[in-house]
Amino acid sequence: MAAPKVAVVGAGVIGLSTALCIAETCPSCSVTVLSDQFSPNTTSDVAAGMLIPHTYPGTPIHVQKQWFKETFAYLFAISNSAEASEAGIHLVSGWQVFKNTPKEELPFWSDVVLGFRPMSEAELQKFPQHRFGQAFTTLKCDCPPYLLWLEKRLKAIGVQMYTRKVADLWELHSEYNVVVNCAGIGAHQLVGDEKLFPIRGQVLKVQAPWVKNFIRDGDGLTYIYPGIHRVTLGGTREKESWSLSPDPSATKDIFDRCCSLEPSLRGAQDIKVKVGLRPSRQRVRLQREVLSQGGVKLPVVHNYGHGAGGFSVHRGTAKEAAHLVGECLAALQGASSRAKL
Ligand code: FAD
C-alpha cells in the first residue's frame, strides 16, 4: 500500500493531539486535519485547561486513570522544558475546598497530581464557609497557546491542515484510507449521535496577576484558575443548552461566587466573557467502525465526547485513537495482500 492517507476531522485539543499521535506512531502516513474552525474559535479555546479529571460514568476508572496519567506525564515533561512558555503549560498549586467532607476523600487521580494531601487547619481558615479541603499541585494549559503550539508541531512534521466543513464522513472515502472523527459536539450532527449532548459553560477571563493559587469548590461549579496571563473564573453547567450567547446574570453570579472564595478578585480588571459547549456523553466514544456503501469500505475511528475533561485526558485518548488507526491500517494492509494472492 502507498503512504496511507489519514484524515482527522476537528481541530480542537482532541483533533490536534490525535493527529500528532498518529503522525508520531505512523511516520509513513500522510495525515491531514480538516476542520470548519481552528483556534481561537473552538470549544477548546474557551476551556480553563486545568488537569483535574472529570469522571465519565460509563468508562472504567482504571482506563480514565491511565488516560490522565499519560496526559499528566506528557504535559509535565513540556512544563519542564524550554517549550513551556510557548506551549502555555505550567504547574499550579492550590486548594479544592468542600462545605462538607466528601464521601470519597481520595479521588482516583490523587496519586497522579503532585503532593496531594488534606488541607491543614491553618489553610482552611482562608475559607470560613468550608470545612474540608485538599491541597495539591497540578498542571494547567493556557488553551489558545497550547492549540497553536500543537498546530506548529503538526506543520513542522508535514501534517496538512485545511478549513473544511464535513457534512458526512462518507464524503471523504475516495480521498482517505482512514478517517478519524474528533468533531467534539459537532459529532451530534456529523454522525447523528443522540447520546452526545452539550453542557453549556460560561467563564470569565480576567486580569488579576496577584492570584497565584487555584481555588476550586468541590461541587465543581465555582473555580478560580490562574493561567500565565489571565485568571479563569467559573462557571456554569447547563445541560442541553446550545446557546453560545453570554448571559449577563450568569456573569454577575460567577463573579460574586468567585469573590466569596477570593475577595481580592473584586479588584480584577478587563473581564472577558466566554461560552463553550462541553461535548458530553456517559463515556468518551473511542472506537473503530467500518462504514460501507456498495461494497466500498471506509474505516473510521471515533474520538469524541470528552465533556468537561478533554484537556485532562487528551493525550491518553489520542494515543488510544492512534493505536486504533494502526489497527485499521493493519487490516487494510492484510486485505490488500490477500487481494494480490
Ligand atoms: P472542540 O474543541 O469543540 O473541537 C471540535 C472541532 O471539530 C472544532 O475544530 C470544530 O470546528 C470541528 N468540527 C465539528 N464539526 C465539524 C464538521 N462537521 N466538519 C469539520 N469540522 C468540524 N476540560 C479540562 O480538562 N479542564 C478544564 O479546566 C476545562 N474547562 C472547561 C471550561 C469550559 C467553560 C468548557 C466549555 C469546557 C471545559 N473543559 C475543560 C472541557 C474541554 O473544553 C473539552 O472537553 C474539550 O475542549 C473538547 O475538545 P474537542 O477537541 O473534542 O472539541
Side-chain angles (χ1 to χ4, degrees), residues 1 28 59 75 84 89 101 141 153 162 169 190 195 199 230 232 249 265-266 297 306 318:
M1 200 163 108
S28 65
T59 304
L75 294 181
I89 308 296
T101 307
C141 306
R153 303 253 318 184
Y162 298 111
L169 294 178
L190 181 61
K195 293 184 185 147
I199 298 187
R230 301 181 77 85
T232 303
S249 66
L265 281 169
R266 290 270 167 221
K297 290 188 163 67
H306 296 70

Side-chain angles (χ1 to χ4, degrees), residues 10-12 14 35-37 43-44 47-50 164 166 183 307-312:
I14 302 302
S35 191
D36 62 346
Q37 299 290 343
T43 304
S44 300
M50 278 293 277
R164 170 167 166 183
V166 178
F311 277 85
S312 306

Side-chain angles (χ1 to χ4, degrees), residues 9-16 34-38 41-53 56 164-167 182-187 190 199-203 223 225 232 236 274-279 303-313:
V9 179
V13 69
I14 302 302
L16 297 178
L34 305 171
S35 191
D36 62 346
Q37 299 290 343
F38 284 82
N41 300 318
T42 69
T43 304
S44 300
D45 287 279
V46 174
M50 278 293 277
L51 265 74
I52 300 180
Y56 304 101
R164 170 167 166 183
K165 184 168 174 81
V166 178
C182 302
I185 195 64
L190 181 61
I199 298 187
R200 179 183 179 280
Q202 181 166 321
V203 288
Y223 49 82
Y225 292 150
T232 303
T236 65
K274 302 274 178 191
V275 178
L277 305 180
R278 301 176 181 94
N303 185 14
Y304 67 84
H306 296 70
F311 277 85
S312 306
V313 295

Side-chain angles (χ1 to χ4, degrees), residues 217-234:
D217 193 300
D219 67 10
L221 198 59
T222 305
Y223 49 82
I224 299 162
Y225 292 150
I228 297 173
H229 301 295
R230 301 181 77 85
V231 184
T232 303
L233 309 184

